[in-house]
């Protein structure tokens, strides 16, 4: 028996939240199921709605609502999982001003000079102070599309579970790119004592930056796998345990007592020629800082529509309003390894 609309949306959200590689059983209703069972159930349910062009045409509003509600709930969660250690993520109603309150302590306020960046790939986001204690981020619409032909529908080669994966991944990457752009722009404004740029990994320079960030609280290093793989201290520091860790993981998960958080990397197209995140940057940020430097605002609901092409294929278009900005203080440091390229 087919699921009702509410159960179908709950199922889609459960699958979107789950980790495909995990062996954990996920709750659905009063029972627990594996990820593969839930995913296959979702595929079967969507085939009932869109297994043919006639079914798709009849049920497309239900399918669009399913995509919209799933993206609305899951996208902010996925972004927070990737950048939540140093990014504050908030969701605002349509038409509300995305205002973030500054939460810097009095001690930090005396020591840290703040500045706010104005950046954005999709246009210049006017990020401005309102009263010294809060500021607004302007949002704009980000869009993505997935094309599915009638033949692919009828042959069963593509279904809407695949489409949802493509849409979510595309929006994830667009947001990550905006975050990276904001951080790089912010790095340009840091004092010379808070940054280093040079070819290769310089242990002394990294130690200097870590010491600066540590003066505001124990710091964590955020970078891509490529950068982390270069962070090898001098030979006298290398132990057998560190060698095993480097061999097994490709990088050291701890640099002289500081956690190294590896950010997910991906590519802008199927050729794997252009990376989403510039691997040359590493960000050293005090853990537990009262003020997270990156601000991400989601505004309103996700919008889904379709476009019919001349060959009768369908282009499912998804739009989400968001804005990204940064508020940077002199407790944050940036190391750039110019030998790593995007």
């Amino acid at each position: 028996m087919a699921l009702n609309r509410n159960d179908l949306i709950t199922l889609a959200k459960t699958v979107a939240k789950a980790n495909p590689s995990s062996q954990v059983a996920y709750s659905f209703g009063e029972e627990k199921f594996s990820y593969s069972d839930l995913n296959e159930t979702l595929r079967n349910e969507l085939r009932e709605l869109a297994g043919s062009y006639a079914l798709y045409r009849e049920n497309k509003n239900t399918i669009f609502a399913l995509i919209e509600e799933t993206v609305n709930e899951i996208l902010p969660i996925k972004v927070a999982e990737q950048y939540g250690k140093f990014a504050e993520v908030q969701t605002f109603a349509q038409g509300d001003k995305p205002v973030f309150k500054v939460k810097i302590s009095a001690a930090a306020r005396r020591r840290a000079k703040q500045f706010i960046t104005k950046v954005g790939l999709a246009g210049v986001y006017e990020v401005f102070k309102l009263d010294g204690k809060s500021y607004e981020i302007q949002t704009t619409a980000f869009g993505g599309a997935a094309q599915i032909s009638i033949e692919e529908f009828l042959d069963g080669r593509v279904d809407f579970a695949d489409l949802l994966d493509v849409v979510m991944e595309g929006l994830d990457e667009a947001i990550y790119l905006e975050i990276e752009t904001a951080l790089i722009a912010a790095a340009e404004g840091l004092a010379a004592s808070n940054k280093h740029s040079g070819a290769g990994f310089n242990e002394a320079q990294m130690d200097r930056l870590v010491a600066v960030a540590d003066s505001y609280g124990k710091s964590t290093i955020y970078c891509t796998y490529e950068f982390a793989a270069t962070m090898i201290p001098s030979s006298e520091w290398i132990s057998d345990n560190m060698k095993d860790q480097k061999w097994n993981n490709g990088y050291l998960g701890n640099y002289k007592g500081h956690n190294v958080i590896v950010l997910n990397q991906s590519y802008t197209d199927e050729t794997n020629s252009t990376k989403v995140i510039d691997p040359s940057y590493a960000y050293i940020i005090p853990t537990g800082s009262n003020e997270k430097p990156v601000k991400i605002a989601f505004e309103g609901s996700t919008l889904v529509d379709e476009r019919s092409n001349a060959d009768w294929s369908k282009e499912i278009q998804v739009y989400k309003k968001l804005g990204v900005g940064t508020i940077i203080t002199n407790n944050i440091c940036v190391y750039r390894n110019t030998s790593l390229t995007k």
Side-chain angles (χ1 to χ4, degrees):
M1 182 176 66
L3 295 175
N4 62 39
R5 182 180 182 277
N6 289 336
D7 286 342
L8 181 58
I9 290 173
T10 300
L11 176 60
K13 291 178 180 179
T14 302
V15 171
K17 290 178 184 177
N19 180 357
S21 61
S22 173
Q23 301 301 314
V24 174
Y26 297 93
S27 297
F28 183 70
E30 298 181 354
E31 299 183 56
K32 289 185 175 293
F33 302 90
S34 68
Y35 171 83
S36 59
D37 288 339
L38 290 174
N39 193 47
E40 187 58 31
T41 301
L42 177 60
R43 290 180 185 276
N44 291 335
E45 290 291 329
L46 289 174
R47 288 189 187 107
E48 291 292 322
L49 293 174
S52 68
Y53 182 64
L55 283 171
Y56 165 73
R57 184 172 54 195
E58 179 182 347
N59 296 306
K60 67 179 181 180
N61 288 336
T62 298
I63 294 166
F64 289 177
L66 173 68
I67 296 173
E68 288 170 351
E69 293 196 35
T70 303
V71 173
N72 281 341
E73 181 171 326
I74 304 304
L75 187 60
I77 293 174
K78 285 187 173 292
V79 172
E81 287 174 351
Q82 168 79 322
Y83 288 98
K85 295 290 186 180
F86 60 89
E88 181 181 356
V89 181
Q90 290 193 38
T91 300
F92 300 86
Q94 179 66 38
D96 285 355
K97 289 184 177 181
V99 175
F100 288 80
K101 293 184 178 180
V102 177
K103 296 176 289 187
I104 295 179
S105 66
R109 193 183 303 277
R110 287 194 300 268
R111 299 178 63 193
K113 179 181 178 182
Q114 301 172 21
F115 61 94
I116 299 173
T117 60
K118 300 180 180 181
V119 297
L121 288 182
V124 176
Y125 299 156
E126 293 297 334
V127 183
F128 54 91
K129 292 182 179 179
L130 295 179
D131 57 10
K133 296 182 180 180
S134 61
Y135 66 95
E136 178 184 350
I137 294 179
Q138 182 177 334
T139 60
T140 191
F142 278 72
Q147 183 172 303
I148 298 179
S149 69
I150 293 176
E151 288 77 11
E152 288 173 321
F153 266 131
L154 298 178
D155 295 344
R157 287 179 282 138
V158 174
D159 57 39
F160 269 84
D162 297 317
L163 181 146
L164 188 57
D165 286 342
V166 170
V167 166
M168 290 290 288
E169 183 177 350
L171 288 173
D172 279 350
E173 289 185 356
I175 294 166
Y176 295 164
L177 196 56
E178 287 293 292
I179 293 171
E180 181 201 33
T181 303
L183 284 172
I184 291 174
E188 294 300 316
L190 287 172
S193 57
N194 286 62
K195 58 187 177 182
H196 171 74
S197 180
F201 178 70
N202 185 312
E203 183 180 356
Q205 288 293 337
M206 177 59 79
D207 291 351
R208 179 182 66 80
L209 295 178
V210 167
V212 171
D214 276 357
S215 68
Y216 297 89
K218 190 74 169 183
S219 57
T220 299
I221 301 170
Y222 300 87
C223 59
T224 63
Y225 171 86
E226 285 180 77
F227 191 103
T230 70
M231 292 177 57
I232 306 300
S234 58
S235 57
E236 61 265 24
W237 281 86
I238 298 294
S239 65
D240 290 340
N241 178 269
M242 293 170 71
K243 291 177 182 178
D244 290 341
Q245 187 180 156
K246 169 70 173 174
W247 178 261
N248 292 328
N249 301 328
Y251 66 95
L252 299 175
N254 186 288
Y255 180 82
K256 299 184 180 180
H258 300 81
N259 287 333
V260 177
I261 304 299
V262 172
L263 304 175
N264 295 331
Q265 180 65 280
S266 57
Y267 294 86
T268 58
D269 57 28
E270 67 278 1
T271 66
N272 295 333
S273 58
T274 304
K275 299 161 189 167
V276 172
I277 299 176
D278 190 332
S280 66
Y281 287 89
Y283 305 96
I284 304 110
I285 301 174
T287 303
S289 174
N290 289 317
E291 187 63 43
K292 294 183 177 180
V294 176
K295 309 297 180 184
I296 305 169
F298 292 97
E299 181 187 350
S301 178
T302 304
L303 300 178
V304 178
D305 207 342
E306 71 172 359
R307 173 185 175 185
S308 297
N309 299 318
D311 61 358
W312 280 37
S313 65
K314 296 292 182 182
E315 205 170 85
I316 309 302
Q317 300 178 335
V318 181
Y319 298 90
K320 182 71 177 177
K321 288 184 71 176
L322 64 101
V324 175
T326 57
I327 178 168
I328 297 297
T329 63
N330 59 350
N331 62 349
I332 293 171
C333 296
V334 176
Y335 188 117
R336 187 180 186 195
N337 182 346
T338 56
S339 64
L340 301 176
T341 59
K342 190 173 181 178

